[in-house]
Amino acid sequence: MLLPAAAAVLFAPPLVAQQAPTVFAITHAKIVTLAGSPIEDGTLVIKDGKIAAVGASVEVPAGAQVIDGKGLQVYPGLFDPVTQMGLSEISAVSATVDSSETGSYNPDVVAATAVSPSSEHIPVTRASGITEVLAVPGSGGFDSSGNSGLLAGQASAFNLAGWTMNDMQIKRSAAMVVNWPVIQTRTFDFATFSRKEKPYSEAKQEYEKQVTELTDWIDRARHYAQAAGHGGPSDFERDVKLEALVPVVRGQLPVLVFADRAQDIRNAVEFCDKQKLKMILAGGNEAYKVKDLLRSKNISVILRPVLSQVEEEDDPYDRLLTQPAELSQAGVKFAMGSFDNSFARRLGQNAANAISHGLSYDEGLKSVTLYPAQIFGVADQLGTLETGKIANVIVTNGDPLDVTTDLKYLFIKGQLTPTGNKHQRLYEKYLNRPKS
């Protein structure tokens, strides 16, 4: 028999859920819009997920939740353009890794279908001011495992808050991922834990075979696109892999080509130029060697973290640190990416280190905000603080690229988003551990 109090709870009418505020006003803050000069004492209004107004003399709407920004600074959220966010949880546990598919050619694979919105990497990453990312299948990196494949699939852009991918998605298909083949004369045999040497002629033959296969895929996709544009569906047999490549051969979807060595970059540029593909270079450790070529072909670059090991033993230790400034001076547009999950939180500090090695501050900040948005075709929604754009906004007590800066408020899609995460919980747990 139910007790009276319990019965009252069970049969009581449901509580009305309290709706989160949809209108916010950040007042008296320094606002760095990246669309013009910073506003020293400004107001930014957020309404229904968008930036409703920004300026020095903006009126605060009635009923808005007001945040006093005196002494604080407001910036667009940071954008990490190469991650495995939501695709890989624990790299050493294969059951939690879904960053690549079996086989070398998987153009129909879309990262958004595999992203886990409940990944613990997401709250850790957004606590560093990163509000949106690109999940890139088959892109390698510290958190990846398995075969990357030559045509690895389609990268997806999404916000770092939401219950489902439908809530989070910005651009389901932002680029087709291509891992450019390389001539490898030395491989590692995990069965014997030893290095194996291969004749150059044999390695070159394997490389040429892979390039020929890529060419064949593009040619078949172009023929498929022509057939799909004539007659009815019954006039040709559907092929989902070729269908996924149709936007690529039509110039509607860029190819994100992973290559590091100068010669590999040249080969990839020549291939994309011949096939009339819109190319974005990813990795680019030796992009400085071909900067004139990249500028002439209007190819943007997503650089690996500058705090990485150089390619050659006799390279200067700061070769990757000085490259961003060199590309900027040459007129090559670039953005910076983490290329994994575990160190995505250090995206801003990678930009800061490039700034300390010759890159201008404005270019460094734009390389992790505006430029990724421009490169992947979402600058109409993100990258600057302008009326009508998605309200992905961070409020800090200093420079967001400085490791000592604290994130005070975080807005994703106009909602005040918590910055709590697993790292913080563990820190607090063991900070308060009883002393024996």
Side-chain angles (χ1 to χ4, degrees):
M1 179 178 175
L2 287 171
L3 295 174
V9 170
L10 283 177
F11 295 104
L15 294 174
V16 178
Q18 290 188 341
Q19 289 232 338
T22 59
V23 183
F24 297 88
I26 306 165
T27 62
H28 302 298
K30 178 181 178 180
I31 303 176
V32 181
T33 67
L34 295 183
S37 300
I39 303 166
E40 292 299 330
D41 184 2
T43 296
L44 184 140
V45 176
I46 296 171
K47 182 177 181 181
D48 298 331
K50 300 290 182 68
I51 297 172
V54 58
S57 56
V58 170
E59 185 177 344
V60 176
Q65 180 175 328
V66 178
I67 295 173
D68 184 0
K70 189 174 182 180
L72 301 178
Q73 301 177 18
V74 183
Y75 296 85
L78 307 188
F79 188 160
D80 191 339
V82 177
T83 73
Q84 290 89 46
M85 198 67 60
L87 301 178
S88 176
E89 197 67 12
I90 304 171
S91 58
V93 181
S94 59
T96 70
V97 179
D98 196 8
S99 56
S100 61
E101 293 291 329
T102 57
S104 297
Y105 300 96
N106 297 288
D108 54 321
V109 168
V110 181
T113 61
V115 168
S116 170
S118 59
S119 169
E120 290 284 4
H121 289 287
I122 290 176
V124 171
T125 301
R126 71 187 180 210
S128 296
I130 299 172
T131 54
E132 63 271 355
V133 301
L134 211 71
V136 183
S139 55
F142 183 79
D143 295 295
S144 186
S145 65
N147 176 39
S148 294
L150 294 180
L151 275 174
Q154 301 168 48
S156 302
F158 60 94
N159 295 304
L160 290 185
W163 284 100
T164 67
M165 184 47 60
N166 285 339
D167 296 334
M168 303 163 72
Q169 187 170 289
I170 299 169
K171 194 171 187 179
R172 182 175 175 81
S173 183
M176 182 67 69
V177 180
V178 176
N179 286 297
W180 189 254
V182 298
I183 300 175
Q184 287 187 318
T185 58
R186 179 179 294 180
T187 58
F188 189 81
D189 187 351
F190 283 96
T192 61
F193 274 82
S194 61
R195 294 188 181 278
K196 282 188 172 183
E197 295 290 339
K198 184 185 298 183
Y200 178 82
S201 58
E202 183 181 333
K204 189 171 188 295
Q205 189 176 19
E206 289 180 0
Y207 164 81
E208 291 173 345
K209 178 184 176 184
Q210 290 176 316
V211 174
T212 300
E213 288 176 352
L214 272 174
T215 303
D216 181 59
W217 275 93
I218 296 301
D219 288 343
R220 288 164 56 206
R222 191 168 281 114
H223 294 150
Y224 185 89
Q226 293 172 347
H230 298 84
S234 60
D235 295 335
F236 65 97
E237 185 177 349
R238 187 185 182 194
D239 186 315
V240 293
K241 291 181 182 289
L242 295 179
E243 191 173 289
L245 285 168
V246 168
V248 174
V249 298
R250 287 179 175 170
Q252 300 163 342
L253 184 68
V255 287
L256 182 62
V257 181
F258 283 74
D260 282 308
R261 299 282 187 170
Q263 188 56 55
D264 294 329
I265 296 170
R266 290 190 192 96
N267 291 340
V269 170
E270 182 182 2
F271 176 86
C272 291
D273 196 39
K274 182 178 180 181
Q275 296 292 339
K276 296 181 173 54
L277 307 180
K278 182 181 178 182
M279 175 180 166
I280 301 167
L281 174 63
N285 282 353
E286 293 185 349
Y288 67 95
K289 292 183 178 180
V290 291
K291 57 183 183 291
D292 293 335
L293 174 64
L294 295 172
R295 183 189 62 243
S296 68
K297 299 297 182 181
N298 196 28
I299 295 173
S300 300
V301 185
I302 311 298
L303 292 174
R304 295 186 188 277
V306 296
L307 296 174
S308 301
Q309 186 174 351
V310 294
E311 287 284 343
E312 300 291 347
E313 290 182 0
D314 56 353
D315 281 343
Y317 77 94
D318 61 352
R319 177 64 268 178
L320 297 180
L321 288 158
T322 59
Q323 178 172 233
E326 195 168 342
L327 293 179
S328 177
Q329 291 161 10
V332 177
K333 180 172 287 186
F334 68 90
M336 294 189 186
S338 66
F339 284 67
D340 65 20
N341 299 334
S342 298
F343 300 102
R345 65 188 185 279
R346 290 291 170 252
L347 179 67
Q349 284 75 63
N350 272 280
N353 276 278
I355 291 167
S356 70
H357 285 75
L359 182 66
S360 74
Y361 178 80
D362 284 348
E363 288 294 290
L365 183 57
K366 287 177 180 178
S367 75
V368 291
T369 51
L370 175 60
Y371 291 161
Q374 289 179 339
I375 290 169
F376 289 102
V378 293
D380 59 330
Q381 304 176 65
L382 300 162
T384 59
L385 301 179
E386 295 181 271
T387 302
K389 289 196 173 184
I390 297 172
N392 284 1
V393 179
I394 57 175
V395 183
T396 69
N397 65 355
D399 182 353
L401 307 185
D402 190 332
V403 71
T404 64
T405 293
D406 293 326
L407 180 64
K408 295 298 184 180
Y409 301 95
L410 171 69
F411 291 89
I412 297 181
K413 290 180 65 179
Q415 285 300 310
L416 192 56
T417 304
T419 57
N421 58 81
K422 186 175 183 179
H423 287 192
Q424 183 183 29
R425 293 194 301 271
L426 290 174
Y427 170 77
E428 292 171 352
K429 175 181 177 179
Y430 289 100
L431 180 68
N432 297 314
R433 179 183 178 184
K435 293 180 174 60
S436 56

